[in-house]
Amino acid sequence: MPIQREPWAEPYKIKMVEPITMTTPAQREAALKEAGYNTFLLHSDDVYIDLLTDSGTSAMSDRQWAGMMLGDEAYAGSRNFYHLEEAVQKYYGYKHLIPTHQGRGAENLISRILIKPGDVVPGNMYFTTTRAHQELAGGSFADIIVDEAHDAKSTFPFKGNVDLKKLQAVIDQHGAKKIPYVSIATTVNMAGGQPISLQNLKDLRALTNKHGIRIIHDMTRVAENAYMIKHLEKGQEHRSVQDIVLEICSLTDGATMSAKKDALVNIGGFLATNEWDVFEEARNQVVLYEGLHTYGGLAGRDMEAMAIGIGESVGEDHIRARVGQVLYLGNKLIEAGIPIVLPIGTHGVFLDAKAFLPHVPQTAYPAQTLAAELYLDAGVRTMERGVVSAGRNKETGEDYMPELELVRLTVPRRVYTQAHMDVVAASVLRVHERRASITGLKMVYEPKYLRFFQARFEKI
Ligand code: F0G
């Protein structure tokens, strides 16, 4: 990243404020116990700075709020759907659009349409809901991300890249007919918010073309990925983020989008495709799972806010400040010697819980433990991204033991100031200073699907 010589400030001013609760240590201890040491089960009223997720937590602009008033709440053919379709075609270049209530609604549709039992879906690491839908449709996931992505200490700039040799091996083993598509995320959330390079995507396109395999793009944070390409990839520095986003999309055949991230809305998503047959099938199935194909579970006003948010998301000032704020927090922690995933991700800072709490074995959930301790310290809510999130192998029933055992400090877009980031950094340092006294957790309740959302724990 270019060194930041000048101080920077947020490229917006505040027009409305939302007071947040300050809690005492005793209140936090009671709330945490009540929540089974799972930050997902805390009441947000008990949280001071909420870094659980960047999903649906963005502040909308005055233009988006104005757009909400222009909602056309017709059951069929709402004008806001056509605005959204125009925005998707203009900024992302995909031909056909199916709105969904959020990203996983689109993942459900594409998995049901393209995956047959016994199929294999290679991907640049997995995302929890994406893989769950692939498995529900009878497929299995194959990890083809570069090895560097599994190494929290590697500073390789494009940890989201695909290792083409790994993909070739999957093709050789199963045959291209068993691979309905390659699943590519921009950026890779579970690797720590790491980007894929444009060159790697082009090479991937060439290889998949040779075998007639589609690329389906999880474009949840595509503008952030494009920003990193602009700053890190040779020859890309003079291009606009908007232009790079379009090129990324043009190298893929379709996309699932959680508009709750990049696109700056509190709810919404879509499936986009360039293939008429896939579109037609999705238009049939969306009626069963989401709603009619011109609203897909969304109100007209939600679609309008999304259409406007998509345009804002590729604005140079916006994306520089968005990623810049995350880098600010990450650099503060690096300077203080806190072990984090390098390079700093685009949507959050990921603490390396194995290095932070080396005395807590992975079977005692170091990342879950650290997230709980961070909440106790100052009311900062974060998220486990380690063995609890990884879940169990559906064949053997054994826990996946991921290399990466992380706590994610995810920064909502346009919500917190730099001063909030200073408070967060100070809290992490305090917990780090008393790390030797921290012991692990045991799981006392485990739900069947996506267990991290509702699992409960007790102190060992
Ligand atoms: N893909 C990626 C890369 C995601 O990060 C998410 C959501 C989804 C798909 C699913 O989208 O939530 O709209 O259904 N990530 C959130 C997070 C939950 O906190 O990282 P959704």
Side-chain angles (χ1 to χ4, degrees):
M1 284 312 287
I3 294 167
Q4 199 91 44
R5 288 173 195 283
E6 299 297 324
W8 67 274
E10 292 79 2
Y12 47 82
K13 55 186 178 174
I14 295 164
K15 179 142 44 184
M16 192 188 283
V17 295
E18 177 183 350
I20 42 183
T21 332
M22 313 290 282
T23 49
T24 64
Q27 284 171 329
R28 292 196 289 276
E29 196 159 341
L32 191 62
K33 234 188 189 153
E34 179 72 33
Y37 294 87
N38 185 345
T39 52
F40 278 105
L41 299 178
L42 287 166
H43 294 207
S44 68
D45 273 347
D46 297 325
V47 173
Y48 175 35
I49 299 177
D50 204 347
L51 305 187
L52 185 71
T53 177
D54 63 330
S55 182
T57 52
S58 299
M60 293 206 295
S61 67
D62 53 356
R63 281 133 183 102
Q64 285 177 291
W65 279 108
M68 297 283 278
M69 298 306 291
L70 302 176
D72 168 12
E73 307 307 341
Y75 188 88
S78 159
R79 87 171 75 89
N80 311 116
F81 166 78
Y82 298 102
H83 292 169
L84 179 61
E85 188 180 52
E86 246 171 64
V88 167
Q89 289 167 348
K90 174 176 172 189
Y91 292 105
Y92 301 143
Y94 294 115
K95 283 189 196 144
H96 311 295
L97 166 74
I98 300 281
T100 58
H101 76 286
Q102 58 183 72
R104 69 199 69 182
E107 290 167 354
N108 175 43
L109 291 175
I110 199 71
S111 302
R112 295 180 61 90
I113 293 167
L114 294 181
I115 299 173
K116 293 188 295 301
D119 280 354
V120 179
V121 185
N124 57 348
M125 211 173 252
Y126 72 97
F127 184 71
T128 52
T129 59
T130 320
R131 187 179 67 192
H133 280 298
Q134 290 164 358
E135 290 176 351
L136 279 172
S140 57
F141 160 80
D143 192 8
I144 54 164
I145 203 165
V146 291
D147 286 338
E148 287 89 338
H150 295 282
D151 176 2
K153 290 183 189 67
S154 160
T155 55
F156 183 61
F158 289 106
K159 283 181 165 180
N161 279 1
V162 167
D163 183 333
L164 295 174
K165 287 205 266 332
K166 287 186 190 172
L167 176 57
Q168 188 63 55
V170 177
I171 298 172
D172 293 344
Q173 190 190 342
H174 300 277
K177 287 217 159 57
K178 285 264 173 230
I179 304 174
Y181 58 92
V182 173
S183 178
I184 290 301
T186 56
T187 58
V188 182
N189 192 352
M190 300 301 275
Q194 305 292 333
I196 180 172
S197 75
L198 201 52
Q199 189 56 51
N200 185 251
L201 194 54
K202 285 181 189 164
D203 295 342
L204 174 68
R205 180 74 279 181
L207 180 60
T208 50
N209 275 351
K210 216 169 87 186
H211 294 277
I213 300 172
R214 292 179 190 86
I215 300 176
I216 298 295
H217 177 199
D218 178 346
M219 61 180 304
T220 293
R221 299 181 181 85
V222 66
E224 293 176 11
N225 196 123
Y227 178 79
M228 298 311 273
I229 287 174
K230 178 181 167 109
H231 287 284
L232 297 176
E233 196 163 342
K234 246 185 132 177
Q236 302 298 324
E237 58 274 17
H238 301 300
R239 296 179 67 189
S240 67
V241 166
Q242 184 174 336
D243 195 31
I244 298 172
V245 165
L246 253 186
E247 183 172 4
I248 292 172
C249 295
S250 76
L251 292 165
T252 69
D253 301 291
T256 56
M257 173 60 151
S258 171
K260 301 170 73 173
K261 284 81 164 177
D262 242 17
L264 297 161
V265 287
N266 302 121
I267 193 70
F270 59 77
L271 173 66
T273 173
N274 293 333
E275 294 174 81
W276 179 261
D277 293 355
V278 173
F279 172 60
E280 210 167 22
E281 188 54 30
R283 207 163 48 165
N284 274 311
Q285 293 206 23
V286 73
V287 185
L288 294 172
Y289 295 102
E290 306 280 324
L292 196 70
H293 63 282
T294 55
Y295 77 86
L298 297 171
R301 53 181 172 269
D302 297 329
M303 293 189 283
E304 191 64 27
M306 199 196 303
I308 297 168
I310 288 170
E312 292 180 1
S313 76
V314 298
E316 299 287 329
D317 289 339
H318 161 71
I319 197 73
R320 182 170 55 245
R322 189 286 181 277
V323 178
Q325 190 177 42
V326 179
L327 297 180
Y328 174 82
L329 174 62
N331 281 321
K332 264 194 123 86
L333 296 179
I334 291 173
E335 278 162 29
I338 304 293
I340 68 168
V341 174
L342 299 171
I344 302 164
T346 61
H347 67 301
V349 176
F350 291 67
L351 303 178
D352 180 354
K354 279 185 185 169
F356 201 111
L357 299 174
H359 54 287
V360 177
Q362 204 166 8
T363 48
Y365 312 115
Q368 189 78 30
T369 304
L370 182 51
E373 292 293 333
L374 279 171
Y375 171 71
L376 268 185
D377 183 74
V380 174
R381 173 156 69 170
T382 59
M383 183 192 291
E384 191 263 9
R385 292 273 91 150
V387 62
V388 182
S389 294
R392 291 176 188 274
N393 182 307
K394 73 173 170 166
E395 249 100 62
T396 67
E398 275 173 37
D399 273 347
Y400 290 115
M401 283 289 169
E403 270 312 304
L404 298 180
E405 179 72 24
L406 309 177
V407 173
R408 190 180 74 172
L409 282 63
T410 342
V411 184
R413 295 167 185 77
R414 310 192 288 206
V415 170
Y416 293 113
T417 63
Q418 236 158 299
H420 288 110
M421 298 299 113
D422 291 339
V423 170
V424 170
S427 177
V428 174
L429 297 199
R430 275 194 302 273
V431 174
H432 193 243
E433 271 158 22
R434 62 173 175 80
R435 63 192 179 280
S437 67
I438 295 171
T439 53
L441 296 169
K442 61 172 192 266
M443 202 186 294
V444 294
Y445 167 68
E446 179 174 351
K448 199 162 152 206
Y449 299 112
L450 301 176
R451 64 182 182 181
F452 55 94
F453 283 129
Q454 281 138 10
R456 300 185 69 85
F457 301 83
E458 276 170 14
K459 268 196 168 159
I460 291 176

